[in-house]
């Protein structure tokens, strides 16, 4: 995706050869063709257990959005894309098990690496008898 004058690619990373510990990493390029950065693991504010089998982000969808309606995100992150009309935040939505709690979570970022604390937006659906 294009954001802040760069192309960002988010991919899953498996942090344990023993299973589990699924996470997300990002790389970026100014032109989307050359000069790709090293992959960086995403950092979520307050998220413990990254790299352990019980913490899993299964996949990660990202959308660039305006910053006014959503507020902060990405603790201490430098502002990106401040030009008029350009998206100022990334909104990530992802199914995960975090701290033993499964669901669909959301988080925001200003740089694609540092993300706000995940908020569970949808919990497990329990079928009615």
């Amino acid at each position: 995706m294009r954001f802040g004058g760069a192309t960002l690619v988010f991919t899953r990373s498996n942090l344990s050869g023993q299973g589990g510990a699924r996470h997300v990493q990002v790389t970026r390029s100014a032109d989307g063709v050359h000069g790709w950065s090293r992959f960086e693991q995403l950092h979520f504010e307050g998220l413990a257990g990254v790299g352990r089998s019980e913490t899993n982000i299964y996949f990660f969808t990202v959308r660039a959005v305006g910053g006014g309606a959503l507020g902060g995100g990405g603790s201490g992150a430098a502002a990106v894309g401040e030009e008029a009309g350009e998206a100022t935040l990334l909104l990530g939505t992802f199914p995960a098990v975090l701290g033993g709690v499964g669901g669909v979570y959301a988080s925001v970022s200003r740089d694609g690496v540092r993300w706000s604390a995940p908020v569970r937006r949808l919990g497990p659906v329990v079928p009615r008898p």
Side-chain angles (χ1 to χ4, degrees):
M1 69 169 307
R2 291 292 296 174
F3 181 75
T7 298
L8 283 69
V9 175
F10 296 87
T11 66
R12 187 160 112 183
S13 59
N14 298 322
L15 301 177
S16 171
Q18 306 302 314
R22 297 161 185 95
H23 201 64
V24 180
Q25 59 190 355
V26 64
T27 183
R28 69 184 72 235
S29 165
D31 65 6
V33 178
H34 301 97
W36 289 97
S37 68
R38 289 180 178 240
F39 278 101
E40 294 181 74
Q41 296 298 317
L42 302 192
H43 299 279
F44 293 90
E45 187 176 316
L47 180 61
V50 172
R52 290 189 282 196
S53 62
E54 65 273 6
T55 298
N56 292 283
I57 297 175
Y58 296 99
F59 65 88
F60 199 74
T61 61
V62 182
R63 179 178 185 175
V65 296
L70 294 174
S75 166
V80 177
E82 294 295 335
E83 296 86 40
E86 190 172 338
T88 57
L89 284 176
L90 295 170
L91 171 63
T93 306
F94 50 99
V97 175
L98 306 176
V101 180
V104 177
Y105 291 81
S107 181
V108 294
S109 175
R110 292 188 183 276
D111 67 3
V113 175
R114 294 173 299 233
W115 293 79
S116 64
V119 175
R120 190 168 75 150
R121 303 302 299 158
L122 180 66
V125 177
V126 178
R128 293 182 186 203

